Amino acid sequence: MCGIFAYTGSKNKDAVEVLLEGLSSLEYRGYDSAGIYTPESGVVKTPGAVGALRGKVPKSFTGKSGISHLRWATHGAPTEKNAHPHHGGKEDIWLVHNGIVENFRELKERLTKKGHTFFSESDTEVLAHLIEEYLRSEKNFEKAVFKALGEVRGTYGLAIQYAKEPEKLIAARMGSPIVLGVGNGEHFIASDASPILKHTKKVLFLNDGEVAVLTPTSHAVYKLSQKRVRRNPEELSWGAEEAQKGGYEHFMLKEIMEAPDVVSNTLRGRLIQKKGMAKLGGLESVAKKLSHIERIIIVGCGTAYYAGLIGEYMLEEFAGIPVEVELASEFRYRSPVLNQRTALIAVSQSGETIDTLEAVREGKRKGALTLGIVNTVGSTIARETDAGVYNHAGPEVGVASTKALVSQLTTLALFTLFFGRARKLSPKKGAEIARELAALPKKLETVLKKEKEMAKLAKKYAHMRDFLFIGRKYNYPVALEGALKLKEVSYVHAEGYGAGEMKHGPIAMIDQEFPTFALTPRDSVYEKNVSNVHELKARKGLVIALATEGDKSIAKLADDVVYVPKTLEMLQPILNLIPLQLFAYYVAIQKGLNPDRPRNLAKSVTVE
Ligand code: F6R
């Protein structure tokens, strides 16, 4: 996601060089524009890379302190105007921000009435104006920041500077990470430790609801209530690369572990829990056309296609719309029959997958309404579809898709509420789905505690050459995904099957050397799945069952059981995926492979 780096020093260090170098080490996060501010020289911003920013910064641009940012667009296109740092009306309050100010529209309206003029479409800019407004009454920088933050709803990681007190920086955190670097006569603020480590290993991680005031020689941490927090800095032993991975050994593991935050970010501001509805701003421009839709076609590739398959079950069951799911790579070569009453939904993390893009173009040619469920803002699919919803999962660095799938499924559940409540879904059922969606992050935290257990299981089974994954109904695509993940990162032959298909062929392969991962949650097809496990055991097959917490009977049958908390049947795949991702990751580790860089695979498939 976006990257923050800020510096204040009393030595003769050139803050501009420190900041530009720091931004370079944040580049791995993925971004689309960059900017830098120093009180001495002002601001330089540009769409594009840090290299472009460096080229644009004049030689005369200096400073002893400053703030800088890499932006990954959420509100407003990736333009120079929308890039950070942002300022208030007088151009003396400057700030960089990661996160989303949910109530920016109402704040903006209030401030506009008070005479503030806004320069960008970004939600961030409102914060600078709000601080400026409080500065007028409070006449104190820190107090103005505390007052302003008290009014913000949403998430933020912030670095703020006031031109009249150039040595001082204020940092704040609510839901978006902020690390302080404590140097000798210098202090740093960053969104992760990677740009700081070159300068100091002494760091202080802010907790949610904390604010820090830094000068070159001092740092003080407060709660939002302005109560002082006493906490000593810790010494990091990480290298820069480990810092980028948040201390995890691989991006894949880091991104699996992000699942609870991913669901929260995808849901943020979109769930109207009491009414059991979803507010999808990205679809508002096509609301009228959507009300005439009679059929949905979902297209995607690989993991994104599997997301579509799960979406099909959700949308047909709760929205009552006929849904077909197509591999984008096949759809474009058929002669699909489409019309204006068809919505074609393209699911893509990168927004650049060529087959998915061509399927969108084919849909457009044939008059369908094209919609995107895309993670990468400003990507080609996001631009070419008629409307869409961004996943807000943050950039996915690991080649194998993990957190993107979690966000795609969360978005499809939101689509289900959106379409469903306009059609057959009752307010009561809608509210139940919304409630369970909101409860997912906590349940995901419980599932992620299984990390060690999955590592142990991977160790036990890593020598196996083949694997079968089976599941039924909502968990059939989860089985396909479990097999894909294992193949991709550990090169173990794995097949995913609908459990009902097992007897139609694959069971012939089963013996003691061909284990099965059986998805057997306590849902509407539980008994049928248990029968399949019996059939496997009768052929001496080894079975790892993924079951609902408390299901003791399955433990008597299977060789190993992984327990997962219960949620609604339609949302169960979001929880069930995680152990399968961890299993694939740890089998790769057992085999001494780098799961972040599977052989022969690219993150974004832009060629056919
Ligand atoms: C699997 C994986 C791929 C992608 C597929 C589509 O782990 O990463 O199967 O899901 O290439 O990519 P996007 O979502 O970028 O269109």
Side-chain angles (χ1 to χ4, degrees):
M1 201 80 97
C2 307
I4 287 175
F5 191 44
Y7 173 76
T8 180
S10 52
K11 297 180 191 164
N12 285 335
K13 239 186 214 173
D14 175 16
V16 178
E17 193 45 43
V18 172
L19 291 174
L20 288 174
E21 255 187 34
L23 286 185
S24 298
S25 57
L26 286 170
E27 281 187 289
Y28 77 96
R29 293 166 78 100
Y31 65 102
D32 44 50
S33 48
I36 180 169
Y37 164 81
T38 70
E40 289 90 337
S41 299
V43 71
V44 180
K45 307 199 272 192
T46 183
V50 176
L53 182 68
R54 198 177 261 284
K56 220 174 154 184
V57 169
K59 282 218 163 57
S60 56
F61 198 93
T62 56
K64 288 202 155 136
S65 63
I67 58 180
S68 63
H69 191 257
L70 298 180
R71 175 172 185 253
W72 198 68
T74 55
H75 290 72
T79 59
E80 179 175 337
K81 200 173 59 164
N82 289 332
H84 301 210
H86 284 287
H87 59 83
K90 285 211 246 156
E91 301 203 18
D92 53 7
I93 294 286
W94 287 83
L95 53 85
V96 290
H97 167 226
N98 287 357
I100 296 175
V101 182
E102 284 168 18
N103 55 338
F104 86 99
R105 282 195 187 83
E106 64 194 69
L107 291 171
K108 196 168 176 174
E109 210 171 289
R110 198 178 88 202
L111 290 163
T112 306
K113 281 191 192 136
K114 291 197 165 183
H116 288 257
T117 308
F118 289 83
F119 309 95
S120 73
E121 302 155 54
S122 153
D123 57 316
T124 297
E125 190 191 344
V126 79
L127 292 176
H129 287 267
L130 193 60
I131 295 168
E132 184 178 54
E133 184 60 29
Y134 277 115
L135 197 54
R136 277 186 202 158
S137 51
E138 298 293 324
K139 312 258 182 280
N140 176 294
F141 177 34
E142 284 101 307
K143 280 196 180 142
V145 171
F146 279 112
K147 285 257 173 177
L149 292 181
E151 290 208 48
V152 175
R153 274 205 323 270
T155 51
Y156 52 78
L158 282 165
I160 315 164
Q161 197 162 23
Y162 179 35
K164 292 190 181 151
E165 296 178 39
E167 287 203 328
K168 191 180 283 174
L169 295 173
I170 299 186
R173 172 188 167 141
M174 184 66 79
S176 189
I178 285 288
V179 194
L180 311 179
V182 181
N184 185 8
E186 54 186 1
H187 277 98
F188 307 81
I189 301 170
S191 42
D192 70 51
S194 55
I196 294 176
L197 291 173
K198 189 174 169 241
H199 305 277
T200 175
K201 299 264 181 196
K202 261 173 137 183
V203 298
L204 231 158
F205 291 91
L206 284 194
N207 294 324
D208 278 349
E210 287 183 347
V211 177
V213 181
L214 312 173
T215 68
T217 51
S218 68
H219 64 265
V221 179
Y222 303 89
K223 289 203 184 295
L224 273 177
S225 61
Q226 301 189 39
K227 190 166 175 262
R228 183 86 190 258
V229 177
R230 307 266 170 200
R231 197 164 62 239
N232 289 330
E234 55 188 284
E235 198 87 19
L236 275 191
S237 56
W238 301 348
E241 208 188 305
E242 275 168 291
Q244 291 177 347
K245 293 174 191 156
Y248 290 104
E249 211 176 318
H250 296 98
F251 282 111
M252 182 175 173
L253 184 57
K254 173 176 179 260
E255 287 164 359
I256 295 171
M257 294 310 220
E258 282 173 29
D261 287 344
V262 166
V263 171
S264 302
N265 288 337
T266 304
L267 293 180
R268 182 159 292 112
R270 292 169 166 170
L271 206 55
I272 311 170
Q273 225 174 300
K274 276 200 187 124
K275 293 187 181 166
M277 288 164 76
K279 183 178 180 311
L280 298 175
L283 301 187
E284 272 164 19
S285 62
V286 294
K288 196 150 179 257
K289 286 187 182 164
L290 280 175
S291 62
H292 300 302
I293 290 307
E294 289 172 352
R295 172 180 170 228
I296 291 176
I297 298 181
I298 305 178
V299 291
C301 296
T303 293
Y305 166 71
Y306 298 152
L309 288 178
I310 297 171
E312 178 181 27
Y313 285 94
M314 293 181 184
L315 284 159
E316 290 199 332
E317 183 168 2
F318 296 104
I321 312 178
V323 181
E324 293 148 54
V325 190
E326 293 265 358
L327 284 169
S329 51
E330 287 300 320
F331 178 82
R332 55 181 294 205
Y333 298 114
R334 287 204 293 106
S335 289
V337 181
L338 309 171
N339 59 31
Q340 286 167 349
R341 292 182 186 271
T342 310
L344 181 127
I345 304 178
V347 182
S348 176
Q349 188 287 128
S350 62
E352 301 295 349
T353 301
I354 188 73
D355 286 319
T356 312
L357 176 60
E358 286 302 333
V360 167
R361 289 177 176 159
E362 174 69 8
K364 273 193 138 172
R365 267 193 295 275
K366 298 220 161 126
L369 175 70
T370 57
L371 307 173
I373 294 181
V374 173
N375 192 36
T376 309
V377 176
S379 57
T380 314
I381 295 174
R383 282 186 278 113
E384 293 202 14
T385 38
D386 296 311
V389 171
Y390 284 121
N391 301 4
H392 295 318
E396 194 175 60
V397 180
V399 166
S401 195
T402 52
K403 66 174 179 171
L405 177 56
V406 169
S407 68
Q408 285 158 351
L409 294 178
T410 309
T411 309
L412 282 160
L414 287 170
F415 266 63
T416 304
L417 282 181
F418 183 88
F419 283 110
R421 291 289 284 107
R423 288 172 164 81
K424 67 164 213 174
L425 187 64
S426 70
K428 189 163 170 247
K429 187 68 195 173
E432 188 191 358
I433 295 173
R435 208 171 40 246
E436 277 299 315
L437 270 169
L440 277 180
K442 275 264 161 310
K443 292 187 180 177
L444 280 164
E445 278 169 23
T446 311
V447 181
L448 286 167
K449 292 205 180 100
K450 309 239 156 236
E451 186 199 345
K452 295 250 150 39
E453 189 183 325
M454 294 318 293
K456 255 176 135 176
L457 215 52
K459 194 168 177 193
K460 178 170 170 189
Y461 287 94
H463 65 284
M464 294 288 174
R465 292 182 47 160
D466 308 280
F467 249 97
L468 180 65
F469 287 75
I470 54 167
R472 207 179 280 260
K473 204 175 168 183
Y474 282 96
N475 284 293
Y476 156 49
V478 179
L480 300 179
E481 170 65 5
L484 176 65
K485 218 76 316 165
L486 188 63
K487 284 189 264 225
E488 263 183 300
V489 300
S490 70
Y491 319 145
V492 172
H493 165 237
E495 306 225 15
Y497 263 92
E501 277 294 290
M502 206 180 71
K503 286 200 283 281
H504 299 284
I507 199 162
M509 301 184 293
I510 296 302
D511 62 16
Q512 296 100 313
E513 302 294 311
F514 205 128
T516 300
F517 225 117
L519 294 153
T520 56
R522 284 263 180 188
D523 59 12
S524 62
V525 286
Y526 174 73
E527 301 297 341
K528 294 198 184 307
N529 286 327
V530 171
S531 300
N532 292 126
V533 174
H534 276 289
E535 287 153 13
L536 288 162
K537 288 312 300 172
R539 272 121 195 124
K540 299 203 167 31
L542 296 170
V543 176
I544 308 171
L546 197 141
T548 303
E549 265 171 4
D551 182 355
K552 297 217 172 76
S553 59
I554 196 85
K556 292 185 193 132
L557 200 56
D559 298 274
D560 289 282
V561 184
V562 179
Y563 287 111
V564 172
K566 192 168 175 58
T567 179
L568 293 180
E569 188 170 11
M570 69 172 273
L571 302 177
Q572 197 67 49
I574 301 177
L575 301 180
N576 290 358
L577 276 172
I578 305 295
L580 303 190
Q581 293 175 345
L582 286 168
F583 184 73
Y585 172 80
Y586 278 109
V587 171
I589 298 300
Q590 280 298 320
K591 291 178 168 294
L593 301 167
N594 177 356
D596 283 346
R597 300 238 168 282
R599 69 184 178 207
N600 309 335
L601 292 178
K603 183 68 190 154
S604 173
V605 185
T606 54
V607 288
E608 292 167 48

